[in-house]
Amino acid sequence: MVVFFENLAEIKNMGQIFSIMILIWIFILTGPILSKDLSGIYKEYVVQDFETEIFGEENVKAKLGPDFTPEVRISTVFRTPERESEKSLYVELTAEKNQSFQILFKKPWSSKEFVKEFKFHVYANDGGGSLFILVRDSSLDQKKILLTHFNFSGWKILSLDITRKVRQDDLVTHQNSELVFLGFLYEAPFERKRGTREVFVIDDILAKTRPKYLLFPSEKALVK
């Protein structure tokens, strides 16, 4: 009877060893697949570098009158240290001009590829406001997506994954499936101390995209 139990223990141990060997073999076989470099699928584009276009009050959309318009201009002083930049978008608000507003591109950036994420080079002076991006997706709805709260000082690189935040495909008509980057929405804090100001700077904006794999985009095309 003791021998019987010893045999059962040996069989159990052999089963465990066999299971471990199978797991090791699966890991060896799938290793090359998991380590396959997929970076070639994505491409990076410059959405806006503020090098050639002029930005000013004409790009600002706000509810209050012109006396409360923030200072919006191109700067050659504030530049991200991460890239070879010559100009950036400089925005300054005083306590007397504390309001929410939009900064809209004259020529919105659009892409018919699938946009995975945007990357921003942003400077802030811990002013307390919030910055959103404004996009129009394939549903033709305009959406605001939070980029950051200005609770930091200095330069930061902000990556914004929009994969699940917008709709980028239209499987019915295969039309109007582009993503359009319209500009920014700044939301001011509820109150700001007299004599204080908020400064933020936006430099190079990049987008990471890949081709879309739509089903039957035309009668002559096969499923990709």
Side-chain angles (χ1 to χ4, degrees):
M1 198 69 173
V2 175
V3 174
F4 176 73
F5 283 113
E6 288 180 351
N7 290 337
L8 285 179
E10 290 179 0
I11 293 174
K12 184 177 181 180
N13 291 335
M14 290 180 62
Q16 292 176 347
I17 295 173
F18 183 70
S19 299
I20 293 173
M21 291 179 64
I22 292 177
L23 291 175
I24 295 174
W25 183 248
I26 292 175
F27 177 79
I28 294 174
L29 290 178
T30 58
I33 298 176
L34 296 175
S35 62
K36 185 178 180 180
D37 184 12
L38 301 178
S39 60
I41 296 177
Y42 290 94
K43 295 181 180 180
E44 194 170 68
Y45 295 94
V46 176
V47 175
Q48 179 61 256
D49 57 10
F50 305 101
E51 299 293 333
T52 57
E53 293 190 31
I54 299 175
F55 283 78
E57 293 183 2
E58 62 275 12
N59 297 92
V60 177
K61 183 179 179 181
K63 293 182 178 180
L64 301 181
D67 293 338
F68 295 90
T69 301
E71 181 181 357
V72 177
R73 59 179 173 84
I74 295 296
S75 172
T76 58
V77 178
F78 286 89
R79 297 173 293 177
T80 174
E82 300 296 332
R83 292 173 61 85
E84 296 180 0
S85 173
E86 297 294 333
K87 298 178 182 179
S88 62
L89 181 65
Y90 176 91
V91 182
E92 179 178 340
L93 302 91
T94 61
E96 294 74 22
K97 297 183 178 181
N98 188 47
Q99 68 162 322
S100 300
F101 59 89
Q102 296 179 358
I103 302 177
L104 302 176
F105 299 137
K106 292 181 181 178
K107 297 179 180 178
W109 180 84
S110 64
S111 176
K112 292 187 177 181
E113 293 190 322
F114 182 86
V115 181
K116 181 181 185 297
E117 68 178 19
F118 290 106
K119 184 184 295 184
F120 304 82
H121 297 77
V122 179
Y123 172 90
N125 71 336
D126 195 11
S130 301
L131 191 65
F132 299 77
I133 68 169
L134 299 174
V135 297
R136 185 172 66 241
D137 62 8
S138 60
S139 66
L140 301 184
D141 290 333
Q142 179 175 309
K143 298 181 179 179
K144 70 173 188 177
I145 304 173
L146 177 64
L147 175 59
T148 186
H149 298 294
F150 289 132
N151 54 3
F152 63 92
S153 297
W155 283 100
K156 270 191 176 184
I157 299 177
L158 304 175
S159 295
L160 179 62
D161 192 327
I162 63 168
T163 303
R164 298 186 179 183
K165 293 181 172 64
V166 296
R167 179 176 178 179
Q168 299 190 59
D169 63 323
D170 188 340
L171 297 177
V172 178
T173 64
H174 302 287
Q175 296 177 356
N176 299 322
S177 59
E178 66 179 3
L179 182 75
V180 183
F181 189 169
L182 302 169
F184 296 93
L185 168 65
Y186 169 83
E187 289 191 354
F190 181 72
E191 60 180 357
R192 197 184 299 275
K193 292 182 179 180
R194 184 182 298 273
T196 61
R197 64 172 185 160
E198 176 159 35
V199 172
F200 65 90
V201 181
I202 305 172
D203 208 336
D204 293 5
I205 305 171
L206 309 174
K208 182 182 289 186
T209 72
R210 64 166 172 78
K212 288 184 179 178
Y213 297 97
L214 299 178
L215 299 176
F216 301 107
S218 66
E219 295 180 356
K220 297 181 180 180
L222 298 176
V223 177
K224 293 184 178 181

PDB file of all heavy atoms in Angstrom, residues 10 19 99:
ATOM      1  N   GLU A  10       5.241   9.711  -7.510  1.00  0.00           N
ATOM      2  CA  GLU A  10       6.185   9.804  -8.629  1.00  0.00           C
ATOM      3  C   GLU A  10       5.467  10.222  -9.908  1.00  0.00           C
ATOM      4  O   GLU A  10       5.961  11.053 -10.686  1.00  0.00           O
ATOM      5  CB  GLU A  10       6.879   8.446  -8.821  1.00  0.00           C
ATOM      6  CG  GLU A  10       7.838   8.101  -7.694  1.00  0.00           C
ATOM      7  CD  GLU A  10       8.477   6.748  -7.909  1.00  0.00           C
ATOM      8  OE1 GLU A  10       8.153   6.115  -8.945  1.00  0.00           O
ATOM      9  OE2 GLU A  10       9.297   6.339  -7.078  1.00  0.00           O
ATOM     10  N   SER A  19       4.524  19.143 -17.564  1.00  0.00           N
ATOM     11  CA  SER A  19       3.805  20.414 -17.810  1.00  0.00           C
ATOM     12  C   SER A  19       4.785  21.566 -17.939  1.00  0.00           C
ATOM     13  O   SER A  19       4.643  22.439 -18.802  1.00  0.00           O
ATOM     14  CB  SER A  19       2.818  20.694 -16.672  1.00  0.00           C
ATOM     15  OG  SER A  19       1.855  19.666 -16.582  1.00  0.00           O
ATOM     16  N   GLN A  99     -10.139  83.507 -18.472  1.00  0.00           N
ATOM     17  CA  GLN A  99     -11.328  82.957 -19.119  1.00  0.00           C
ATOM     18  C   GLN A  99     -10.928  81.735 -19.941  1.00  0.00           C
ATOM     19  O   GLN A  99      -9.757  81.515 -20.240  1.00  0.00           O
ATOM     20  CB  GLN A  99     -11.975  83.994 -20.039  1.00  0.00           C
ATOM     21  CG  GLN A  99     -11.140  84.347 -21.270  1.00  0.00           C
ATOM     22  CD  GLN A  99     -11.954  85.001 -22.358  1.00  0.00           C
ATOM     23  OE1 GLN A  99     -13.096  84.641 -22.607  1.00  0.00           O
ATOM     24  NE2 GLN A  99     -11.362  85.992 -23.034  1.00  0.00           N
TER      25      GLN A  99
END
